[in-house]
C-alpha cells in the first residue's frame, strides 16, 4: 500500500545531484569500450550521493541483464534509513550502456523516486512493449489496435495529418515489422540506437519533435519513464514482452500475463514523484557531459509530480568536490 509522502518538493534539487554525479563518473568511459567499468563507476557515484540525501529508498528494479550496465539489487536500501520519506526508487546509472562505450548519442543517468509502494514491481520482466504520447492521447488509444489505427487516432487527437507524425523507435532487429507498419501507415520513423527514456519523454512533452514512442525496450527504463510521463500528464501504456529464453521462462513461472496492457497509473500510482535525467553523451533531449580544467558542465531534466514542474538545468560542478555532490539541507 502506498504511504503518505512527507517529501519536500525541493528534494528534486538534491536528487539531480545524484544523476549528475553518475554522469560525471561515467564520463571517462565514453568511447572506451568498457561497459562494466563505466557502469560500476556511475552506480557507486549514485550510491554515495544518495547516502547524503534525506530519503529512505528501496530499489524496485535491479539485476541488469547481460550486456547492460550494473544496477543496484532489487530490495537494496539506498539513501538514509532514518529519513522520514519512505520511497520506492528505480535507477539506471547508464541508460544506453553499449552506446556510451562507443561514444554514441542519448546515454543518460536516470532515476525516479515515488512514495513507498507506488511503483509496480515487475518481478523478473526485463523488457516491455510501450506506447507513449502526449496528454491529448490519454485514454484515446487502445493498445490492442493495429499500428495503423493507433497512428490514425493519434493524428486525430493531436490535430495533425498522419503524414506529419514522427514516431521514435529503437533501432533493433525486433522492430523491423513495426517500422514497416509505421511507414506503411504514412508516418515517419525516428530511429535511434539508444535512448528509450529520452524517446518517451520527448513523446510525452507537447511540441517536441517526437509524437509517439512505440516498440519494446527495457522495463527499468519503462517504469522510470512512466513516473515522468505521469508527472507531466502524458499517456503511457505497457505490456511485458520478454526477449530472452531465460526471461520468458522466469516471467511464465512468476505468473505474469504477457498479453495484458497496463495503464500508466497502474505502473505508478502516485502523482508525488520525482524524476531526474542527466545527459552523459549529447542526445535528443540533453547535452552530454563536458569536462574543463576545474569543472564538469552537465545538463539535467528535473520533473516534480507534486507541482507538475519540468525544468532543464545546466550546472557547473567543481571537479574537486564531486565526492560531496548531494545537498544536505533538504528535509
Amino acid at each position: 500500500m502506498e504511504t503518505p509522502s512527507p517529501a519536500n518538493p525541493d528534494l528534486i534539487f538534491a536528487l539531480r545531484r545524484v544523476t549528475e554525479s553518475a554522469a560525471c563518473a561515467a564520463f571517462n568511459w565514453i568511447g572506451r569500450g568498457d561497459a562494466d567499468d563505466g557502469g560500476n563507476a556511475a552506480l557507486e557515484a549514485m550510491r554515495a550521493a544518495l547516502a547524503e540525501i534525506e530519503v529512505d529508498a528501496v530499489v524496485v528494479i535491479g539485476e541488469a541483464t547481460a550486456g547492460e550496465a550494473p544496477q543496484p539489487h532489487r530490495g537494496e536500501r539506498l539513501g538514509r534509513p532514518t529519513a522520514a520519506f519512505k520511497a520506492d526508487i528505480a535507477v539506471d546509472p547508464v541508460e544506453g550502456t553499449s552506446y556510451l562505450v562507443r561514444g554514441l548519442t542519448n546515454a543518460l543517468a536516470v532515476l525516479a523516486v515515488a512514495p513507498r509502494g507506488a511503483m509496480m514491481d515487475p518481478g523478473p520482466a526485463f523488457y516491455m512493449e510501450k506506447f507513449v504520447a502526449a496528454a491529448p492521447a490519454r485514454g484515446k488509444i487502445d493498445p490492442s489496435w493495429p499500428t495503423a489505427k493507433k497512428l490514425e487516432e493519434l493524428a486525430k487527437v493531436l490535430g495533425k495529418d498522419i503524414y506529419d507524425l514522427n514516431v521514435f523507435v529503437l533501432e533493433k532487429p525486433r522492430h523491423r515489422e513495426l517500422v514497416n507498419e509505421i511507414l506503411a501507415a504514412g508516418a515517419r520513423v525516428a530511429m535511434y540506437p539508444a535512448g528509450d527514456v529520452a524517446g518517451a519523454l520527448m513523446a510525452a512533452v507537447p511540441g517536441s519533435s517526437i509524437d509517439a514512442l512505440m516498440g519494446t525496450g527495457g522495463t527499468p527504463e519503462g517504469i522510470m519513464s512512466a513516473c515522468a510521463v505521469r508527472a507531466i500528464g502524458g499517456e503511457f501504456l505497457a505490456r511485458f514482452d520478454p526477449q530472452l529464453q531465460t526471461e520468458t521462462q522466469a516471467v511464465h513461472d512468476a505468473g505474469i500475463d504477457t498479453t495484458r496492457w497496463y495503464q500508466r497509473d497502474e505502473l505508478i500510482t502516485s502523482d508525488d514523484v520525482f524524476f531526474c535525467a542527466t545527459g552523459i553523451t549529447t542526445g535528443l533531449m540533453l547535452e552530454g557531459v563536458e569536462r574543463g580544467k576545474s569543472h564538469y558542465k552537465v545538463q539535467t531534466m528535473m520533473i516534480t509530480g507534486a507541482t507538475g514542474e519540468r525544468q532543464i538545468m545546466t550546472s557547473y560542478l567543481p571537479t574537486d568536490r564531486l565526492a560531496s555532490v548531494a545537498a544536505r539541507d533538504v528535509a
Side-chain angles (χ1 to χ4, degrees):
M1 177 175 293
E2 180 183 333
T3 57
S5 167
N8 182 337
D10 289 343
L11 178 66
I12 193 69
F13 292 100
L15 290 172
R16 57 101 180 167
R17 294 177 181 267
V18 177
T19 54
E20 289 175 352
S21 179
C24 291
F27 175 83
N28 284 337
W29 280 269
I30 295 174
R32 295 190 185 275
D34 195 331
D36 283 345
D37 281 353
N40 278 318
L43 174 57
E44 290 310 310
M46 273 192 162
R47 283 190 175 119
L50 278 162
E52 301 296 329
I53 294 177
E54 287 300 317
V55 58
D56 176 16
V58 174
V59 176
V60 175
I61 298 169
E63 287 84 39
T65 58
E68 295 296 324
Q71 294 182 7
H73 301 294
R74 183 181 289 112
E76 182 177 343
R77 297 280 288 275
L78 299 173
R80 293 181 169 179
T82 58
F85 181 26
K86 308 301 180 183
D88 287 341
I89 190 169
V91 307
D92 199 340
V94 181
E95 199 265 312
T97 315
S98 60
Y99 304 103
L100 166 78
V101 297
R102 292 162 60 192
L104 299 179
T105 64
N106 284 324
L108 301 171
V110 190
L111 67 75
V113 172
R116 185 75 52 81
M119 287 186 195
M120 173 184 280
D121 182 347
F126 289 116
Y127 289 95
M128 60 167 51
E129 183 180 359
K130 307 160 193 176
F131 178 89
V132 187
R138 284 280 295 144
K140 303 293 178 60
I141 306 296
D142 185 334
S144 68
W145 286 345
T147 299
K149 187 171 182 180
K150 290 177 188 174
L151 295 177
E152 180 182 348
E153 184 64 23
L154 180 62
K156 186 185 304 182
V157 299
L158 294 181
K160 292 187 172 186
D161 191 294
I162 194 169
Y163 294 99
D164 293 326
L165 293 181
N166 201 21
V167 182
F168 182 102
V169 179
L170 288 176
E171 190 176 1
K172 305 288 184 183
R174 62 178 174 263
H175 290 146
R176 287 172 186 157
E177 183 177 352
L178 173 63
V179 168
N180 289 337
E181 291 171 350
I182 294 170
L183 296 175
R188 292 192 296 267
V189 176
M191 295 188 71
Y192 287 85
D196 204 4
V197 172
L201 289 171
M202 294 284 284
V205 171
S208 80
S209 60
I210 300 295
D211 297 297
L213 175 142
M214 298 178 73
T216 295
T219 296
E221 292 83 359
I223 298 296
M224 289 184 287
S225 298
C227 291
V229 171
R230 174 162 180 159
I232 59 180
E235 179 65 300
F236 194 106
L237 304 167
R239 176 186 69 84
F240 293 118
D241 186 23
Q243 298 295 302
L244 308 172
Q245 185 174 356
T246 52
E247 180 193 5
T248 300
Q249 185 62 51
V251 167
H252 177 269
D253 292 346
I256 295 173
D257 183 357
T258 57
T259 67
R260 180 186 172 187
W261 282 85
Y262 291 88
Q263 301 294 314
R264 182 198 71 186
D265 294 353
E266 293 179 288
L267 300 171
I268 173 69
T269 62
S270 174
D271 286 323
D272 194 9
V273 298
F274 300 88
F275 174 89
C276 293
T278 299
I280 301 174
T281 59
T282 296
L284 271 177
M285 187 178 65
L286 296 167
E287 296 178 3
V289 177
E290 297 179 17
R291 184 171 63 187
K293 290 183 178 179
S294 61
H295 289 76
Y296 288 94
K297 177 186 175 185
V298 294
Q299 195 169 74
T300 301
M301 173 174 278
M302 304 179 296
I303 302 174
T304 308
T307 62
E309 293 177 336
R310 182 177 78 249
Q311 304 170 70
I312 292 181
M313 176 179 289
T314 299
S315 302
Y316 295 82
L317 309 178
T319 55
D320 60 354
R321 295 180 61 188
L322 282 179
S324 302
V325 293
R328 293 176 172 81
D329 57 351
V330 178

